[in-house]
Amino acid sequence: LTEEDQLLNGNGTSPNLLGFMNKSGVQTQAKGGDSTQDAIFKGFTLLRGYGNPSAVIMHPNDWQQIRLTTTTDGLYLWGASSEEGVDRIWGKPVVITPVQTEGTALVGDFAMYSHISRRKGVRIDISDSHSTYFAEGKLAVRIEERLSLEIYRPAAFCKVTGI
């Protein structure tokens, strides 16, 4: 979750990444009087010419609002409640994460215009040599990774706000 938070919300001040939500040039589509589904589609439309949307990132509560949408007869639009269902909207996968700001979705061409570079993967260090840890049977654990986020074309991404 920490990595996801940095990729989405990092402010760019060392040692933080500059995440999608704070990158200049990322487009914005306000929900206004539209349904959430319509606002997301309008976000897709803003991307056309800059890229083709490949995914949507949403907070679980925002996805719940869409997933529980029913007809006037009480039938679920996104499939029966007895079925697992597919987390997709307008044919694109929905990535559900609690680190995405509630009320805002991110749509974009993640496949073509962003990349995560990793250096050496995850490193885990465990030691009992801190203070009195050896005598007390305690261990100190440090986990770190080094990565960077490259956003090649910010206009290929769009924040959909007010959902």
Side-chain angles (χ1 to χ4, degrees):
L1 287 177
T2 300
E3 179 180 309
E4 286 180 10
D5 189 37
Q6 284 291 314
L7 293 170
L8 285 172
N9 304 309
N11 62 16
T13 303
S14 186
N16 298 312
L17 298 175
L18 180 58
F20 285 101
M21 302 306 282
N22 292 310
K23 178 75 172 175
S24 64
V26 171
Q27 301 188 68
T28 302
Q29 171 66 48
K31 178 183 175 190
D34 294 324
S35 68
T36 300
Q37 297 91 313
D38 290 353
I40 288 172
F41 191 84
K42 287 181 176 183
F44 285 0
T45 302
L46 283 177
L47 303 182
R48 306 284 183 204
Y50 301 103
N52 292 309
S54 60
V56 179
I57 301 174
M58 298 181 81
H59 188 277
N61 293 338
D62 296 328
W63 179 242
Q64 173 182 281
Q65 168 200 341
I66 293 172
R67 188 71 170 96
L68 296 180
T69 304
T70 59
T71 64
T72 55
D73 297 336
L75 300 174
Y76 290 103
L77 291 178
W78 258 256
S81 59
S82 61
E83 301 295 325
E84 181 178 353
V86 180
D87 294 335
R88 296 179 76 78
I89 188 166
W90 300 112
K92 305 301 178 193
V94 178
V95 178
I96 302 165
T97 177
V99 301
Q100 175 64 347
T101 303
E102 190 171 352
T104 302
L106 178 67
V107 301
D109 191 342
F110 298 93
M112 281 294 292
Y113 296 109
S114 67
H115 183 260
I116 300 170
S117 297
R118 298 179 188 280
R119 183 175 181 194
K120 295 185 178 179
V122 176
R123 177 180 168 173
I124 301 172
D125 296 317
I126 301 173
S127 174
D128 62 0
S129 61
H130 175 72
S131 185
T132 60
Y133 277 25
F134 178 78
E136 296 171 357
K138 295 180 182 178
L139 295 174
V141 179
R142 179 177 60 195
I143 302 172
E144 67 180 3
E145 68 178 331
R146 296 184 66 181
L147 58 96
S148 66
L149 172 64
E150 296 86 34
I151 301 172
Y152 303 118
R153 184 178 284 179
F157 300 91
C158 179
K159 296 180 263 190
V160 181
T161 60
I163 61 172

